[in-house]
Amino acid sequence: MPQRYSVTTLPIYNLLLWAKSGEIAIPEIQRPFVWDATKVRNLLDSLYNGYPVGYLIVWRNPTVKLKDGQSASGKKILIDGQQRVIALMAAILGETVIRKDYKNVRIRIAFNPLEERFEVCNSAIEKDVVWIDDVKRIFDPEASMFELLNDYTRINNSGIDRWKVEQVLDKVKQLTNNHVGIIELEEELEIETVTEIFIRVNSAGTPLSQADFAMSKIAVNETCDGHFLRKTIDYFCHLAESPDFYKTIQDFDTEFANSDFWPKMKWLKDINDDLYVPKYTDMLRVAFTSKFKRGKLEDLVALLSGRNFETREFDEEIVENSFGKLREGIEAFINETHYKRLNMFLRSTGFVTPSMIRSKNAVNFAFILYLKGREERVSPHEIERLVKRWYVMSILTQRYSGSTESIFDQDIRLIYQPDLVKQANFVIENELSPSFWTGILPQFLDTPNASSPYFIAYQAAQIYQDDKGFLSRDISVRDLLLNRGDRHHVFPKKYLQDKFGLKRGQYNQIANFVIAQSEINIAIGSDSPKKYFAELVEQVNGGPTKYGGIAESKNLNMNLEQNCIPMEMLNSESMEYEDFLSKRRKLMSLKIQDWFSAL
């Protein structure tokens, strides 16, 4: 096979110029920087000592046909080495980076000329005159090295060797002349091949996704406002996570603040809703699938490159059309009404906390279904019902937990057939047949995984039906989950351990869990169910109030029914643990079914 790449070297100084000028695309600059400051220090130290720092991998955008018949090559996309380049830009050029909490920070690396040592700047270093607290001062092309040297020797007037310090500082400044290896991949390579190359070369690094490729494609295309579109995606995700990021955009990115995109998304500054906080992958998936009728993001990469799937050539008109459709999808995603309506649907179904949203892709396709319903002018009530039921079906069947893109591709082609409502309902009814509720779901509930979608669905059902917490008279399950109420064992853990020697996977069965107030949990302690249920019977027959405030038999029976506790537990002999679990799983399944039917 012929070699599919070329290898060259490039001075670090030129690499940084490439990055600043946009010759090489680094879309990660606007997303969180995952390296800690120590790694930045280590990178500079390696360069100072002449050590290799690894190859960078770039891939040029495919050549596309222009309207005048000519061809144009795209800019280079940095496939591997993004963190290293950003680290150099931060330390040498003084660029700010965005941390995982979306705060803009400057990473300052200090240098001690006497010890020839780099260190992350801190308050102690700032006060110590033997340190230059920011190496950016050494690399600044407008700064005078003569003045820097004079200032350093003046404040360190203890007979230091000026000539040696000058030599050391010059060595630091010259490290930007060090060469780094560049592997440039052929532009004709398919996206799947590029992905495979990345995985093989950098198997220990962060996996590269098709969304990363798509973001790179978007970022480098300025003729179709790609740089604005990329910022829209990144900034929306940042604002959804941290609304106070609004001021940073408004003050420091005036170009974007004056664009057509900003007015359509700045409503997020007044929202403090963390139920569904999308990442850039989520936004791309919803926007792409809803507008292109495709589910595989590798197709988006190809279309943004201008690929004609029939001729297998690249055409500028396809690039323009693809960017136009993607923009429509992104604008639909960031629309205030659409975004708020989706969150309202989730909450009104019973999913009230972020911890209950276990599958982002289930939410993503529910959003796609909503947008498609709006497009087809389905009545608001029917859209709401359809979105809720599809979402619940998705999580109960774990529809998007496996080959997500293949399922998305299958589902979007299905719902784009005539009569969206009919097609979607057919899938729902087929997936959640009568046998699912009576045979399959009780088996799924046989698990110790408290974060399983089945237990979360059960909690959502309790919230939707306004159930009270276990043995609570007034406090609802909703209130308890919003305020971190206890997950209590009906058959106490210590009781099962001490009496039967049960292990974690046995006593932590989700059919043994109820949501309860902490004081009720404490009052029960490790008592056997036989004991405390007998005391509950006494309590509602005029005895002492020990567990919650329920004082009447009818209210106790109602509470046990709401919490799917078999009524046999009130018998003096109680129930065997395994028998209890079996009966409760069936009751929990029926509750989930009733909830789903009411949606």
Side-chain angles (χ1 to χ4, degrees):
M1 290 291 292
Q3 187 168 290
R4 313 300 301 274
Y5 63 91
S6 60
V7 181
T8 58
T9 61
L10 189 74
I12 288 172
Y13 180 78
N14 284 27
L15 177 66
L16 296 178
L17 288 179
W18 271 13
K20 283 188 69 68
S21 67
E23 172 66 20
I24 189 167
I26 315 175
E28 297 297 331
I29 288 175
Q30 291 299 330
R31 292 202 288 277
F33 181 63
V34 299
W35 272 19
D36 59 34
T38 303
K39 286 190 175 182
V40 180
R41 177 204 65 191
N42 292 344
L43 180 61
L44 287 181
D45 186 68
S46 293
L47 290 168
Y48 182 76
N49 287 287
Y51 300 155
V53 293
Y55 280 86
L56 306 179
I57 303 178
V58 299
W59 178 41
R60 187 182 294 277
N61 266 335
T63 299
V64 298
K65 291 182 179 179
L66 303 179
K67 292 178 180 177
D68 60 6
Q70 297 182 0
S71 297
S73 292
K75 296 178 180 180
K76 296 180 178 68
I77 296 172
L78 187 57
I79 299 301
D80 184 33
Q82 293 170 339
Q83 297 294 309
R84 280 170 285 165
V85 174
I86 297 173
L88 291 172
M89 294 178 73
I92 295 175
L93 302 182
E95 299 278 350
T96 60
V97 299
I98 300 173
R99 299 184 313 199
K100 291 181 179 180
D101 59 0
Y102 297 115
K103 302 295 184 183
N104 276 292
V105 297
R106 266 275 287 121
I107 296 177
R108 287 196 299 155
I109 304 300
F111 182 70
N112 186 328
L114 305 183
E115 299 179 359
E116 298 186 56
R117 182 161 63 94
F118 293 93
E119 192 52 79
V120 179
C121 188
N122 55 41
S123 57
I125 285 176
E126 287 178 335
K127 297 173 184 176
D128 191 342
V129 295
V130 301
W131 288 88
I132 296 174
D133 63 358
D134 192 346
V135 295
K136 176 182 178 296
R137 295 166 55 194
I138 303 175
F139 296 106
D140 189 347
E142 297 181 3
S144 167
M145 183 61 72
F146 180 78
E147 290 181 5
L148 178 63
L149 182 62
N150 275 348
D151 290 342
Y152 186 81
T153 54
R154 176 175 51 79
I155 60 178
N156 288 278
N157 54 6
S158 56
I160 64 172
D161 187 335
R162 177 187 173 93
W163 180 85
K164 181 179 179 181
V165 171
E166 182 177 2
Q167 294 295 107
V168 169
L169 293 181
D170 186 63
K171 182 180 176 183
V172 173
K173 193 174 183 69
Q174 292 304 314
L175 68 78
T176 56
N177 293 326
N178 290 16
H179 282 61
V180 62
I182 306 289
I183 299 174
E184 184 165 351
L185 306 178
E186 286 185 354
E187 62 184 75
E188 292 82 7
L189 289 176
E190 298 285 348
I191 185 68
E192 298 87 352
T193 305
V194 175
T195 304
E196 177 66 18
I197 291 171
F198 177 86
I199 293 171
R200 292 192 182 199
V201 172
N202 190 24
S203 59
T206 303
L208 195 67
S209 69
Q210 300 293 351
D212 292 322
F213 279 116
M215 289 294 281
S216 298
K217 290 289 187 183
I218 294 167
V220 298
N221 192 311
E222 296 181 2
T223 60
C224 297
D225 285 336
H227 57 307
F228 279 132
L229 195 58
R230 186 263 299 160
K231 284 186 176 183
T232 300
I233 296 168
D234 283 324
Y235 285 164
F236 188 90
C237 294
H238 293 183
L239 282 170
E241 178 85 20
S242 179
D244 59 0
F245 190 65
Y246 166 83
K247 185 168 176 55
T248 300
I249 302 171
Q250 190 74 32
D251 293 348
F252 297 104
D253 195 345
T254 54
E255 182 187 29
F256 183 79
N258 291 323
S259 73
D260 294 338
F261 293 95
W262 183 230
K264 298 172 183 177
M265 58 185 283
K266 65 181 183 180
W267 57 268
L268 270 175
K269 68 182 174 64
D270 301 316
I271 300 297
N272 189 18
D273 188 342
D274 60 354
L275 186 63
Y276 169 60
V277 178
K279 302 299 182 184
Y280 66 94
T281 305
D282 302 310
M283 290 188 67
L284 283 175
R285 198 175 294 287
V286 172
F288 170 63
T289 303
S290 62
K291 287 297 177 181
F292 290 76
K293 306 178 187 178
R294 294 173 178 267
K296 297 181 179 180
L297 286 178
E298 66 185 49
D299 289 347
L300 174 60
V301 176
L303 288 164
L304 294 177
S305 300
R307 182 179 182 181
N308 185 316
F309 286 102
E310 294 181 1
T311 66
R312 299 182 69 84
E313 293 183 348
F314 294 90
D315 193 313
E316 184 192 27
E317 187 173 350
I318 294 177
V319 175
E320 293 177 356
N321 291 339
S322 298
F323 268 90
K325 290 172 70 174
L326 181 62
R327 175 172 179 160
E328 291 176 9
I330 293 299
E331 288 180 343
F333 189 105
I334 67 176
N335 179 277
E336 181 177 6
T337 298
H338 298 168
Y339 189 78
K340 286 183 175 178
R341 193 69 56 84
L342 176 70
N343 279 272
M344 180 180 69
F345 288 172
L346 294 173
R347 277 204 167 79
S348 62
T349 307
F351 301 91
V352 296
T353 67
S355 63
M356 298 180 75
I357 305 297
R358 306 297 297 184
S359 171
K360 281 280 189 71
N361 279 321
V363 180
N364 292 339
F365 202 89
F367 202 173
I368 292 166
L369 198 61
Y370 166 80
L371 294 173
K372 176 60 177 169
R374 294 269 301 198
E375 184 180 305
E376 291 198 0
R377 300 185 180 279
V378 176
S379 71
H381 169 72
E382 193 63 52
I383 290 177
E384 177 182 351
R385 183 171 184 269
L386 195 62
V387 169
K388 288 179 174 181
R389 287 165 61 84
W390 186 280
Y391 177 70
V392 173
M393 177 274 293
S394 299
I395 63 170
L396 286 176
T397 59
Q398 300 192 66
R399 190 172 185 82
Y400 303 111
S401 62
S403 302
T404 301
E405 293 200 335
S406 296
I407 300 299
F408 263 61
D409 202 53
Q410 167 193 306
D411 285 349
I412 193 61
R413 294 175 192 277
L414 180 70
I415 69 170
Y416 261 90
Q417 294 180 20
D419 198 339
L420 163 68
V421 175
K422 179 181 178 181
Q423 293 296 336
N425 279 327
F426 174 79
V427 174
I428 293 169
E429 291 166 7
N430 187 59
E431 292 292 327
L432 301 181
S433 63
S435 63
F436 175 84
W437 304 110
T438 58
I440 298 173
L441 185 54
Q443 293 180 43
F444 284 162
L445 289 167
D446 185 357
T447 174
N449 181 11
S451 62
S452 76
Y454 319 111
F455 189 55
I456 290 172
Y458 168 73
Q459 293 174 59
Q462 285 203 289
I463 291 170
Y464 183 86
Q465 296 171 354
D466 198 27
D467 291 342
K468 298 296 185 288
F470 180 59
L471 303 185
S472 291
R473 189 187 68 178
D474 302 311
I475 307 299
S476 68
V477 171
R478 174 190 294 268
D479 293 332
L480 290 170
L481 288 175
L482 289 173
N483 293 281
R484 299 186 179 183
D486 286 1
R487 192 171 61 229
H488 168 66
H489 295 78
V490 180
F491 277 67
K493 175 176 68 176
K494 194 171 187 313
Y495 166 75
L496 293 174
Q497 287 176 317
D498 293 347
K499 187 172 180 62
F500 302 104
L502 298 191
K503 304 299 182 184
R504 183 185 183 90
Q506 296 170 300
Y507 59 70
N508 273 349
Q509 285 286 310
I510 61 176
N512 193 29
F513 287 142
V514 287
I515 307 302
Q517 295 171 241
S518 58
E519 55 268 32
I520 292 175
N521 194 1
I522 293 169
I524 291 173
S526 59
D527 287 348
S528 70
K530 178 180 179 179
K531 178 178 184 297
Y532 77 82
F533 270 92
E535 292 173 338
L536 275 168
V537 172
E538 292 181 16
Q539 177 174 310
V540 296
N541 284 291
T545 303
K546 186 175 181 180
Y547 307 105
I550 297 176
E552 297 181 7
S553 293
K554 65 176 183 178
N555 292 335
L556 176 60
N557 291 343
M558 182 184 298
N559 184 270
L560 297 184
E561 182 180 346
Q562 288 179 350
N563 286 278
C564 298
I565 305 297
M567 289 301 170
E568 293 95 318
M569 293 293 288
L570 294 174
N571 296 339
S572 59
E573 295 301 319
S574 189
M575 297 176 67
E576 295 297 327
Y577 180 56
E578 289 300 330
D579 189 27
F580 163 78
L581 292 178
S582 177
K583 291 188 175 181
R584 187 159 189 253
R585 288 179 190 125
K586 293 176 182 178
L587 293 173
M588 292 170 73
S589 182
L590 290 174
K591 173 174 279 290
I592 296 171
Q593 182 183 17
D594 289 344
W595 160 62
F596 177 77
S597 299
L599 294 177

